[in-house]
Each structure stands twice: as C-alpha cells, then as structure tokens.
Amino acid sequence: MERRAFLRAVGPAAAAGLAGCIGGGTAEGDYDVGMSAKAFRPVRIAVEPGTTVRWLNTSKQGHSVTAYEEQIPDEADYFASGGFDTEQAARDNWGSSSGGTMFEGDDFTHTFEVLGEYPYFCIPHERAGMVGTVVVTENPETATSGE
C-alpha cells in the first residue's frame, strides 16, 4: 500500500509513528524529501513506478530540485522546480523571477514512471554537495537508501 494511502487509512496514530520513515511530517503535511540548509533528507529514496515524490523546503534557505538531465533514464520525463524542460534552462533561469526557487514551506512534486536512478541537485548548493537520488524500482524495500 502506498505510504500516503496507508496514513489516510489508519489515521493520526500511525502517522505519528511513521513520520520519519521517508521524509517526515510537519505542519505543512507529509513529504518524502526535506531540505536542510545544504542537504536533501533523505539523500536517497526508493519508490515504485507511478509514485509521486514530494520535496518540501524545510529550511530558511532558497533551494531548487533540478535533475541531472544526462543521468536520468532515457525514457524518463525531465524534472525541475520551476517547470523547466532542461537542466540548462533551470540553471540559466536560477535567480530570476521564474527561476524555480523554493522558499521555506514551498514544495515540488514529480511522478516517477520509468525504472532507474534519478540523480538531482540544488542549483545554489550543488558545490556544497546538496545532491540526492530517487531510485525507481519494483522492490523499493530492498533498494539501498540512507541519509
């Protein structure tokens, strides 16, 4: 059963017990990946095809979610906060009014359909090592994940 569907089905008691399973829960609601000052938490997550992942900026820093275009599966849709179609467009527009900046409390979602690994980064904090990976697999419970 999908995590969010499970939480809706069993109610607040289970939600409290599972709040840290994948990302966490906050006043802003459930999320899969949070953002600290210079890191995604967790750094790596594994999901089944068809899963929508929600990133939430849980820090006071401005962030982005930007896929490494050349490293995602060939058949996969590109993703970046701000709705850009390419990594270069996301980089070129960073800092502009349409730059895909996620401020504290902002979220971004993407649905992953194609099996494989999806490395991504935060444009302003890439050099500081703010990178993450979504692994899309038929067996997410056996995939390696971690901080």
Side-chain angles (χ1 to χ4, degrees):
M1 176 182 276
E2 186 179 334
R3 179 175 179 260
R4 289 188 185 114
F6 173 77
L7 292 176
R8 281 191 299 272
V10 298
L18 293 174
C21 279
I22 292 181
T26 68
E28 294 89 357
D30 284 337
Y31 60 92
D32 301 300
V33 181
M35 300 171 188
S36 66
K38 291 190 172 68
F40 291 105
R41 299 283 184 228
V43 171
R44 183 177 174 94
I45 64 168
V47 299
E48 293 178 337
T51 300
T52 299
V53 173
R54 179 178 180 227
W55 287 264
L56 178 69
N57 186 349
T58 54
S59 80
K60 297 191 183 306
Q61 301 285 323
H63 293 296
S64 77
V65 173
T66 311
Y68 283 110
E69 186 172 7
E70 297 299 318
Q71 296 179 37
I72 65 174
D74 290 337
E75 310 81 29
D77 291 334
Y78 182 75
F79 63 97
S81 54
F84 300 104
D85 292 331
T86 67
E87 180 181 340
Q88 192 59 55
R91 288 181 185 276
D92 289 347
N93 285 287
W94 175 256
S96 71
S97 61
S98 61
T101 305
M102 296 172 59
F103 297 101
E104 183 178 15
D106 288 347
D107 69 349
F108 171 74
T109 61
H110 180 74
T111 302
F112 293 87
E113 301 290 350
V114 178
L115 295 172
E117 292 199 9
Y118 295 77
Y120 64 92
F121 64 101
C122 172
I123 292 172
H125 302 111
E126 179 183 21
R127 287 186 177 169
M130 190 169 179
V131 297
T133 304
V134 175
V135 179
V136 180
T137 175
E138 295 292 345
N139 298 304
E141 61 278 351
T142 62
T144 303
S145 65
E147 299 281 315

